[in-house]
Amino acid sequence: MTNAQATEKHPGELADVPGWFPPLDQMLFTWFLEQQKTAGIKGDLLELGVYMGKSAILLGHHLQDGELFTVCDLFEGDAPDEANKAESTKSYASLTQQAFERNYLSFHDTLPTVITGPSSLVDEKVAPDSCRFIHIDASHLYEHVYGDIGAAHDILLPEGVVVLDDFRSEHTPGVSVAAWEAVLNRGLRPICLSTQKLYATWGDPEPLQEELLQMLRQRSDVGLSVQQAAGHRLIRTRSRGTKPPFFPPSRHYVEPVPTPAPAPPVAESAAARPARPAPSRARRLAKDLLPPVITRAVRRARAKRS
């Protein structure tokens, strides 16, 4: 993973916030959160690992009355071990809490509850059975992801959704091992897979999968396939030019100034061209007096020079 470009500028749109949050996952986050609202599911929201706040900003937009939103990140704090410290230094050196808060407050009036520290603190700060949606995008090391999944199991409501980032990236094998181990041995049940994220639940995935399939089959911009593995139905999605869903601009958004269209070329008419000056009296006399042979010779000489 390479560092996303940090910026000191207030974002005008969600696309201006640095981070890794593809349009396909923006669409899936929005669909799951809106589905929960439609189904009358209430509960808090939680994100482990926020970087510059791109996905947190979207999550905060779907917060319902009476719900809480909590985020957790090391920011500039000390990592719990040397391996985590090396990972943070390599991939997130530009991350500061100030940058996250600046970006988040560009779109929202108030900040979420911020836990500054390792994700292992979350199960002490967030009540069990309180969240309807959890996004895990913190450390990529197996031991930490294993703990984050265990904490999510205790915090998530039975019908809640947990999303694991980077579950199949070549540079994050620890996430892959922890994710599929949870599926095979810890009761986690996949709902769907995107190129980057695993969406799952500890409840019954079938009703959600049926609704999701109905929606996805109506879209031409999402590739779709269904497979079976170890007794689990796996809905695989991939982008076919997927566009992000509409998201309200920030308070700093400036409408781009339209570029004026170039003026059409004006065809020059014969009447608009300047008149050829009339020959002088001396030239007229010379023309009349010179023999035709000399006149033709002068014309040929002029033609050669031109």
Side-chain angles (χ1 to χ4, degrees), residues 2-280:
T2 56
N3 284 329
Q5 183 64 41
T7 176
E8 297 298 323
K9 183 181 178 182
H10 288 283
E13 299 178 278
L14 189 62
D16 297 331
V17 181
W20 304 270
F21 194 27
L24 175 60
D25 288 298
Q26 293 182 41
M27 182 273 289
L28 289 171
F29 268 51
T30 300
W31 184 86
F32 278 106
L33 291 161
E34 288 296 323
Q35 188 279 338
Q36 289 180 331
K37 181 178 179 181
T38 301
I41 299 172
K42 299 278 288 186
D44 298 334
L45 308 178
L46 173 64
E47 180 167 78
L48 309 183
V50 301
Y51 192 55
M52 294 288 177
K54 196 164 192 171
S55 54
I57 291 166
L58 187 147
L59 284 169
H61 181 66
H62 293 274
L63 199 62
Q64 302 180 62
D65 291 342
E67 295 180 337
L68 301 176
F69 182 23
T70 302
V71 301
C72 177
D73 205 290
L74 280 173
F75 295 111
E76 308 98 309
D78 293 331
D81 53 59
E82 287 302 315
N84 197 191
K85 182 178 180 180
E87 180 188 29
S88 297
T89 302
K90 179 180 179 181
S91 296
Y92 309 110
S94 60
L95 175 59
T96 66
Q97 186 169 345
Q98 182 182 19
F100 163 74
E101 292 180 356
R102 179 192 65 233
N103 291 336
Y104 193 90
L105 290 175
S106 295
F107 294 86
H108 301 287
D109 295 333
T110 58
L111 287 169
T113 300
V114 178
I115 300 173
T116 304
S119 55
S120 56
L121 297 175
V122 167
D123 57 357
E124 303 173 9
K125 306 286 187 179
V126 182
D129 298 321
S130 61
C131 289
R132 62 181 171 100
F133 194 98
I134 299 177
H135 181 212
I136 299 178
D137 188 15
S139 171
H140 297 133
L141 303 176
Y142 167 78
E143 295 80 3
H144 298 165
V145 182
Y146 182 94
D148 292 344
I149 293 173
H153 173 269
D154 296 337
I155 293 169
L156 200 66
L157 291 164
E159 67 272 31
V161 173
V162 61
V163 185
L164 297 172
D165 185 66
D166 278 331
F167 80 103
R168 65 179 186 182
S169 299
E170 57 86 18
H171 64 283
T172 58
V175 182
S176 300
V177 174
W180 292 117
E181 181 183 52
V183 171
L184 295 174
N185 300 326
R186 305 174 74 183
L188 187 63
R189 306 182 69 183
I191 302 169
C192 71
L193 319 175
S194 70
T195 308
Q196 199 164 304
K197 300 180 188 290
L198 166 65
Y199 297 74
T201 183
W202 276 279
D204 181 6
E206 293 291 329
L208 268 178
Q209 287 182 322
E210 291 303 320
E211 286 190 50
L212 181 62
L213 283 170
Q214 184 178 2
M215 181 273 291
L216 292 174
R217 285 169 177 155
Q218 298 175 12
R219 299 184 65 114
S220 60
D221 61 346
V222 178
L224 176 65
S225 64
V226 180
Q227 297 181 9
Q228 296 286 334
H232 296 278
R233 180 166 64 164
L234 305 178
I235 297 175
R236 298 178 59 240
T237 63
R238 64 189 184 280
S239 174
R240 285 182 173 172
T242 307
K243 301 296 184 185
F246 169 77
F247 194 84
S250 84
R251 66 184 81 255
H252 305 290
Y253 178 77
V254 177
E255 189 76 31
V257 178
T259 304
V266 178
E268 186 180 20
S269 65
R273 290 196 295 268
R276 186 174 181 179
S280 65

